[in-house]
Every structure is written in C-alpha cells, then in structure tokens.
Amino acid sequence: MSNGVVLSVSQLNRYVKSIIEQDMNLQTVFVQGEISNFTNHYKTGHFYMTIKDEFSSIKAVMFKSANMRLKFMPENAMSVIVRGRVAVFERDGQYQLYIDDMQPDGTGALSLAFEQLKAKLAKEGLFDSDRKKAIPAYPQRVGVVTSPTGAAVRDIINVISRRFPLAEIVLCPVAVQGEYAAPQIKAAIELFNAENAADVLIVGRGGGSVEELWAFNEEIVARAVAASDIPVISAVGHETDFTICDFVADLRAPTPSAAAELAVPDCFQQREMLSAFSRRIGSAIYDKIGSERATVELRKAALQRLSPQNYIDNLRVRCDRAVMAMDASVSREMSLKTKNFSSLCAKIDAMSPLKILARGYGVASKNGKIISDVNTIKKGDSINLRLSNGDIECEVTEIRGC
C-alpha cells in the first residue's frame, strides 16, 4: 500500500486482517496463560474470555462447536494451554485468539472434569448417605446395565446363577464407552424404572483406562442413578477405579463379580442358615415340651392334693356357718326390735287422750275446734263436750275466769 493513500477504517481493518490471516505462523498457535473475565454466553453457548500472563493479555473466544468437546468447565484464574488461531475482528479493529481446544495446565482435563462434577454433585447432596436406598435381601429380578459382550456380563450371570438361581436376570445391553455410552446407560436406567423391571440394578463394566470408563463419570449418568427408584449397585472397573457413578449409587462394588455377590444372597449359605435355624427351633420345641410336661405333672399332683370336692365341702361348711350366724343375728335383732316396739306402744298408750277421758276428763270444742281459752266463747254459745263414752251438746249460760 503506497504512502499518501487515504483509507477508510474498514479498509484499514480489512487490510490488517488479511495480513494476519495470511501469516501461517498464526494459523495454529499454542498459548499458555490464565483465564480471566470468563463469560459463558447462555444464548449462543460461546465462551468469551481473556488469556493473560504477568505482562500481557489477549481477548479470546471459543465457539460452541469447539467447547462442546471439553470435559471440564473453564473458570477464572485457571491456568490453561489453548490451541487456536489469531485473527482480527474487523468491526472493532481488534485482533483476538479463536480457540479450538483447551487443556488445563498441570492437570489432565478428565481429572479436572471429574473433580468439578464431583464437587458439584456433592454440594447438591447426591452423595449423602441418608438418601441411599437399602439393597433388597432377596431380589426376584436383578437388572443389569452393561455391555452384552464383555467379561463383566458373563461374570455377573455366572455369579448370580451360582449363588441365587431363583433370581431372574434382566439384561439391558448398552455401549459402555464412546460418545453414545452415557446416553444409552441413562436411557437403560430410566427404562428399568419406568417398567419396574427389576428389584435391584447393577450398572457397570470391566476395567479400562480413564477414557474408557469416562461414560460413568458423565453428569447425565450420575443424575439417572441418583433419580432411580430402584436401588443401584455401581460396578465400574477394578477395585482401585472410582467413578462419579460409584459415589452416587446406593452401593459401590469393587468389580462386577462383587456386585453380583452383593446383589443376591448365597443360596448355600441360606440353606445352611435355615438348617441351623431348624435345629435350634427343634431343640427349643423339645425343651419347651419337656418343661411344660414337668409343669403339668406338678399341677396334677397339686390338684390331687387339693381335691375340688374338699374345696366344695369346705365352702359348704362355711356357708352353713354363715347361715347359722345370720339366723342368730336376725333373731337377736328381731327380739331387740320387738322389745323396743312394745315399750313404745306402752308409752303411746299411756299418753293416749282416751285414757285421760276415761279418768273423768272431757274435751270441749266449738265448731270442731278445741276450746283452750274462755275468751274465745261467749254466753249463749253452743259447745260440744267429748267424754270417754260419747258427746254432750251444751249451751253456755255463764263464763267464769280463773
């Protein structure tokens, strides 16, 4: 571009953009730095951030098509190594870094993603012991969510068939690694619950690398296990392998074979236990019968000593004595009452007005009322005089006071 040419801002930005984008050294660059000003744009799904070191910073963007492949979530102050290209955002005249891939600096992406999801679900309480369901002691149907061709499913079938052949094994085959594994495992767990197709679920696979076991670290699998109404036994990998599924499940088994042992009882042990119970019950019954027989003999001897007839005779004697005592008491009471009655009759008879009249006295009355005061009559009144043997009608001719 020659000197003296006047350019518009757009022309200048376009020119700078063409220069930078033609530089092959800027088409693929690896940059180490710390994330700041991180924004997860909820509408587009794009990540916007600044990558900085001690002295400088550069704007960066990671489009949704690229960040969907990340196993972890970028955070502010996280040290990362990014791969991308440098280009100019022509509208603002700003050059920035377009990120295609990102890895944590100093720790693996899978390890970081594991710890991030583990912390998130633990905070939500999905690992709490009080939400874990008990494994049924005698399940009729054992659901198995695993690969149909791996060693894990063979081990599970062999162990259950040997330990508890009464249990029905219901297999829901799924992929256990790869991009389709997690959705298939989630769908299988939900199907078992929707159909109520098992009393307990075994979810797992045999051993493998972290990448091969990663489906059991996916959030959708963890949440499906946590939401299951059917108790879930997690059996992923070997004894030293731990996945998010292990923490969320109601019970963790170190291996698929161990999961099968935890899912069902051992019929041989159950048979021995029942035999022992039978022997103990038989012995207890025999001892109880012997004890009761001895008690019966003791009571029989006691009954022979304490004959019911003797008891009845004693009661009869006591009844006779009680009747005699009652008769004597009634007689005494009647005699006393009779004596008292006679005394009262004599007193009443002595105080009878008729007795008084018989001794020559009389009772004067006027109009049926006894005269007790001379002031209540007057000369010429007719009065009645009651004697012991009859009445006399009299006329008052004179009244004298005392």
Side-chain angles (χ1 to χ4, degrees), residues 227-393:
S228 175
D229 293 325
I230 302 172
V232 176
I233 301 176
S234 175
V236 183
H238 300 302
E239 188 168 357
T240 56
D241 296 322
F242 278 88
T243 65
I244 298 296
C245 184
D246 294 329
F247 295 110
V248 180
D250 299 296
L251 183 64
R252 176 192 179 259
T255 63
S257 297
E261 293 180 357
L262 293 171
V264 296
D266 186 342
C267 65
F268 299 104
Q269 291 181 355
Q270 297 297 310
R271 187 178 294 113
E272 287 297 323
M273 183 173 65
L274 289 175
S275 298
F277 283 158
S278 177
R279 290 192 295 270
R280 289 172 59 185
I281 292 173
S283 177
I285 292 174
Y286 180 81
D287 293 342
K288 184 66 174 177
I289 291 174
S291 175
E292 294 299 325
R293 181 179 288 113
T295 301
V296 169
E297 292 298 327
L298 290 174
R299 292 178 178 177
K300 180 180 178 181
L303 287 175
Q304 290 174 349
R305 292 193 304 271
L306 302 173
S307 171
Q309 187 61 49
N310 293 336
Y311 182 69
I312 293 172
D313 291 342
N314 289 335
L315 288 179
R316 181 179 291 112
V317 170
R318 290 173 61 186
C319 287
D320 290 342
R321 290 176 179 175
V323 170
M324 292 171 63
M326 184 176 63
D327 289 343
S329 177
V330 169
S331 297
R332 287 194 300 270
E333 188 68 18
M334 288 294 295
S335 177
L336 180 61
K337 297 296 183 184
T338 300
K339 184 178 180 180
N340 290 339
F341 180 74
S342 298
S343 177
L344 290 174
C345 287
K347 291 179 180 180
I348 292 171
D349 183 62
M351 297 175 63
S352 173
L354 297 178
K355 289 285 187 180
I356 296 173
L357 295 177
R359 291 198 298 270
Y361 292 95
V363 178
S365 62
K366 177 183 177 181
N367 298 326
K369 295 181 178 179
I370 295 175
I371 300 171
S372 60
D373 187 351
V374 296
N375 294 321
T376 60
I377 60 174
K378 59 185 182 293
K379 187 178 179 180
D381 286 345
S382 294
I383 62 173
N384 178 271
L385 182 63
R386 176 73 181 272
L387 301 177
S388 62
N389 59 350
D391 293 354
I392 300 174
E393 294 293 332

